[in-house]
Amino acid sequence: MAEQMLKFVSVPQRMPDKRPADQRRRDFGEIYQAFSTDQAAQQSSRCSQCGVPFCQVHCPLGNNIPDWLKLTAEGRLEEAYETAQATNTFPEICGRICPQDRLCEGNCVIEKGFEAVTIGSIEKYITENAFEMGWVKPPKPRRERKESVGIVGAGPAGLAAADMLRRMGYQVTVYDRYDRVGGLLIYGIPNFKLEKQAVERRTKLLVEGGIRFELNCEVGRDVSLATLRDRHAAVLVATGVYRARELAAPGRELGNIVPAMDYLTASNRTGLGDAVPAFADGTLDAEGKRVVVIGGGDTAMDCVRTAVRQGAKSVQCLYRRDRANMPGSLREVKHAEEEGVEFLWLTQPLGFRGRTGKLTKLKVQRMKLGLADAAGRAAPKPVEGSEFDLKADLAILALGFDPEDLPAMFADPDLAVTRAGTLKIDFRKFETSLPGVFAAGDIVRGASLVVWAIRDGRDAAQAMHRYISARAMSGAALAAE
Ligand SMILES: Cc1cc2nc3c(=O)[nH]c(=O)nc-3n(C[C@H](O)[C@H](O)[C@H](O)COP(=O)(O)OP(=O)(O)OC[C@H]3O[C@@H](n4cnc5c(N)ncnc54)[C@H](O)[C@@H]3O)c2cc1C
C-alpha cells in the first residue's frame, strides 16, 4: 500500500501496541509489539518532509529520516533499509533504545500541535523486516588488506568501528574482558528494552564477516596495550566507563546495598541462562523485597523496572531533583509508573540503618530546587527538618559512572586523560596521546548514549583508515627513494 506524505493532519500518532502493565510486570519481554507493514506505512506518511529536517539535525548519526519515512510510506522497504543502514551500523538497536523523545522525535516539527512521527518504532520495523527478508548482510569487504587493527571493547563503539574497518578490508580483532560481545548492550541494558537475541544476531553477522573476537581477555591484565600496538597497525580503545559513583553515607557498609551494574549484570546473565551465585543466594534478586533505587538516570530506570519483574514487594526510586530535571528519559519514567514504581522526587538519602549487618531502612530528606548551577540545572537544597525513614531490604545505587584509571590499567603513564579521567583525543583525528592509539565512545565522552557510541566508532574507524593509509603511502615513498 503506497501512502501519500504529509498525512499528519488526518492520521493521528500511533505507537505500536504496548503490552498491558500487569502482563509486562511478569516477564522480561520487550514491551511494544511490532508495527504491521500497513501501520508502519501509515505512520511514516505523517512525516511533513520539512525543508530543514530537525529530526535529522538532532540525530547524532545524522540519519536521513525523512527519506526512509517516505520510502516506507511508499512500500519501498529494501531502499528504506538501505538508507537507514547507510548512516547507522545498528539501526535495529537504536530503533529500540534511543531516547527518541529527546532526539529525533523530540525535534519533529509536527510535534508542536500534532504529536511527533513515531520514528523509533518505524526504524525498528524497517530493520526487523530487513532481517526477515535476508537483506542484512555480514560486513564482507570487496578486497582484503593485509594490515590488522585491534579494538579494545566490544560495546557499540568498538563494534561500529569493527564493522566499518572490516568492510574496508582490514583484519579486525576485538578484545573484551567479558565472555560475551555487546558491552552494555548485553550486560547493562535489560531485555525489556533490548532483547538479547537482537545483540546476538548482530554478533553472529560480525563473526560471519570475518571479525575475530578474543573474549575473556582483559587488556592490561591478559595482554598489554604495548603488545597490541606491536601486533596491529592501529588500536582503538573503546572500553566504556564502569567505575560506579559511590554514596558516602553512614551505614553504607551494610549488606543488601548494591551497585546498579552488579544488580543488572546478574539479572541479564540469569536471563541468558548463566548460573549466577549472587542471584541464586538472593543477594542480587529483588523477589519479595522492599527495594529502593537511588538515582534518576537510565540506569536507575532499568533497575526499578527489573526489580518489578523479579517480584519485588515494593519499588521506590529516590531522586534529589524533580521530574522535569531528571537525566533519564521521561518515557521510561512513564513505563515505570505504569508498572507500579513509586517515585520520590526531591528526596535524597542521608544514611542507611540495619540489623545484624543487613539493611532495614534508609534515612532520607526532602529537597527543594535552588538557583541553576554552572550547567544550567537547578541545584537541590535540603529542606530543614524534613527527614523521614523508608523501610528497605535492598538498596541499589545508580549514581552514575566514571572511567577507570586507564593509564594505570594499561601501564602507560603517557596515555593522557582529562580531569574527569576520560581519554584525551585530538577530535579531528580521534587519536590519543599515543601514536596509532585511537579512542571512541563513553571512554571519551563519559557516560553517554548508544547512538553517540556508534557515531564515534564510525568516525574513529575512518580516522584509523586515514592514519594507516598515510603511513602505508609514506612507507612506499621511502622505499621508492
Ligand atoms: C544500565 C544502563 C542502561 C542504559 N540504557 C541506555 C539506553 O536506553 N539508551 C542509550 O542510548 N544508552 C543507554 N545507556 C548508555 C549506553 O549503554 C552507553 O553509552 C554505551 O553502551 C557506550 O558504548 P561503549 O562502546 O563506549 O562502551 P560499553 O558499552 O560500556 O562497552 C565497553 C566494553 O569494553 C570492555 N572493556 C572495558 N575495559 C576493558 C579492558 N581493559 N580490556 C578488554 N575489554 C574491556 C567492556 O567489557 C565492555 O564490553 C545505558 C547505560 C547503562 C549503564
Side-chain angles (χ1 to χ4, degrees):
M1 179 173 78
E3 296 275 0
Q4 301 282 315
M5 299 306 285
L6 276 81
K7 291 264 196 70
F8 61 92
V9 182
S10 54
V11 177
Q13 184 202 55
R14 203 179 140 192
M15 289 292 283
D17 292 338
K18 190 153 83 162
R19 295 195 295 130
D22 61 338
Q23 189 192 89
R24 275 154 38 199
R25 288 169 58 97
R26 282 183 264 127
D27 65 49
F28 280 81
E30 285 183 12
I31 70 170
Y32 285 107
Q33 315 281 13
F35 269 147
S36 69
T37 306
D38 284 352
Q39 284 169 336
Q42 259 212 341
Q43 288 299 306
S44 299
S45 75
R46 298 182 67 244
C47 171
S48 69
Q49 300 282 291
C50 32
V52 179
F54 288 98
C55 54
Q56 180 171 11
V57 172
H58 288 271
C59 170
L61 287 159
N63 283 342
N64 195 346
I65 298 164
D67 279 6
W68 50 255
L69 288 175
K70 185 162 189 292
L71 290 164
T72 307
E74 290 171 356
R76 295 159 64 185
L77 293 176
E78 189 165 3
E79 292 160 87
Y81 167 69
E82 286 300 330
T83 313
Q85 66 81 47
T87 50
N88 187 353
T89 318
F90 309 124
E92 75 281 17
I93 305 228
C94 288
R96 287 172 162 90
I97 59 161
C98 264
Q100 288 99 3
D101 52 339
R102 285 191 265 147
L103 299 171
C104 52
E105 294 179 18
N107 289 283
C108 174
V109 167
I110 64 166
E111 165 81 351
K112 316 281 171 287
F114 293 94
E115 297 190 302
V117 178
T118 49
I119 297 167
S121 308
I122 296 165
E123 185 178 35
K124 179 178 161 191
Y125 167 79
I126 294 171
T127 329
E128 287 307 311
N129 180 63
F131 270 105
E132 254 172 54
M133 301 299 290
W135 299 332
V136 188
K137 300 276 187 255
K140 287 257 168 71
R142 268 202 219 112
R143 90 177 164 85
E144 294 288 345
R145 291 175 201 266
K146 62 180 185 326
E147 298 95 339
S148 75
V149 292
I151 295 177
V152 189
L159 295 182
D163 178 279
M164 199 155 222
L165 287 160
R166 184 66 196 125
R167 285 175 200 276
M168 293 176 199
Y170 290 101
Q171 310 308 311
V172 181
T173 304
V174 183
Y175 303 84
D176 203 291
R177 62 185 175 191
Y178 281 157
D179 55 347
R180 286 190 176 89
V181 171
L184 288 172
L185 302 180
I186 196 93
Y187 286 142
I189 301 173
N191 244 39
F192 50 82
K193 275 167 54 182
L194 174 63
E195 277 170 7
K196 299 304 159 223
Q197 62 82 19
V199 185
E200 290 177 330
R201 178 178 63 185
R202 189 50 89 164
T203 303
K204 191 163 166 274
L205 280 177
L206 297 176
V207 172
E208 282 169 17
I211 295 170
R212 288 187 57 238
F213 287 96
E214 281 204 23
L215 301 177
N216 296 308
C217 175
E218 181 167 326
V219 176
R221 186 192 64 190
D222 302 314
V223 60
S224 69
L225 181 63
T227 305
L228 296 192
R229 291 178 74 191
D230 287 345
R231 194 180 286 171
H232 300 291
V235 174
L236 177 71
V237 178
T239 47
V241 288
Y242 283 87
R243 195 154 52 83
R245 289 197 191 128
E246 256 306 331
L247 183 65
R252 168 64 186 89
E253 71 289 347
L254 287 165
N256 295 2
I257 304 173
V258 301
M261 264 310 282
D262 290 5
Y263 175 69
L264 291 174
T265 305
S267 174
N268 278 317
R269 277 192 180 281
T270 305
L272 284 158
D274 295 355
V276 182
F279 184 81
D281 72 13
T283 313
L284 295 175
D285 184 358
E287 190 180 356
K289 294 181 182 160
R290 289 165 299 193
V291 179
V292 175
V293 177
I294 302 165
D298 283 332
T299 307
M301 295 310 106
D302 289 351
C303 291
V304 288
R305 299 179 66 204
T306 297
V308 165
R309 283 158 176 78
Q310 288 177 345
K313 193 165 160 194
S314 64
V315 184
Q316 294 176 307
C317 182
L318 291 192
Y319 182 54
R320 62 196 181 128
R321 292 188 169 89
D322 61 2
R323 189 189 193 104
N325 284 285
M326 69 173 292
S329 159
L330 288 177
R331 219 180 245 183
E332 295 295 311
V333 177
K334 196 159 163 265
H335 296 325
E337 283 177 332
E338 287 166 1
E339 291 163 9
V341 175
E342 183 192 351
F343 284 85
L344 299 179
W345 305 112
L346 290 164
T347 310
Q348 79 168 4
L350 291 176
F352 303 94
R353 303 225 176 106
R355 223 176 301 126
T356 59
K358 293 266 164 112
L359 174 75
T360 53
K361 58 185 166 189
L362 281 86
K363 186 169 184 200
V364 302
Q365 176 180 46
R366 292 282 182 205
M367 309 293 284
K368 60 183 176 196
L369 290 181
L371 294 174
D373 61 17
R377 289 176 82 205
K381 288 193 171 139
V383 177
E384 292 293 319
S386 65
E387 294 86 3
F388 64 104
D389 287 346
L390 275 183
K391 286 187 182 159
D393 312 303
L394 176 65
I396 302 173
L397 306 183
L399 303 162
F401 302 94
D402 288 315
E404 285 151 295
D405 182 348
L406 255 68
M409 186 157 100
F410 291 156
D412 198 329
D414 293 335
L415 185 61
V417 292
T418 64
R419 269 190 1 206
T422 50
L423 285 183
K424 253 190 194 167
I425 59 167
D426 172 337
F427 280 96
R428 286 160 309 166
K429 297 186 190 163
F430 282 78
E431 200 172 11
T432 66
S433 55
L434 303 179
V437 177
F438 296 76
D442 279 5
I443 192 56
V444 176
R445 288 182 182 275
S448 177
L449 293 174
V450 169
V451 65
W452 277 116
I454 298 173
R455 170 68 199 260
D456 291 349
R458 290 170 66 93
D459 286 350
Q462 296 284 6
M464 290 163 80
H465 172 56
R466 283 196 295 274
Y467 169 85
I468 297 171
S469 307
R471 279 173 62 99
M473 275 167 67
S474 63
L478 276 177
E481 272 174 19

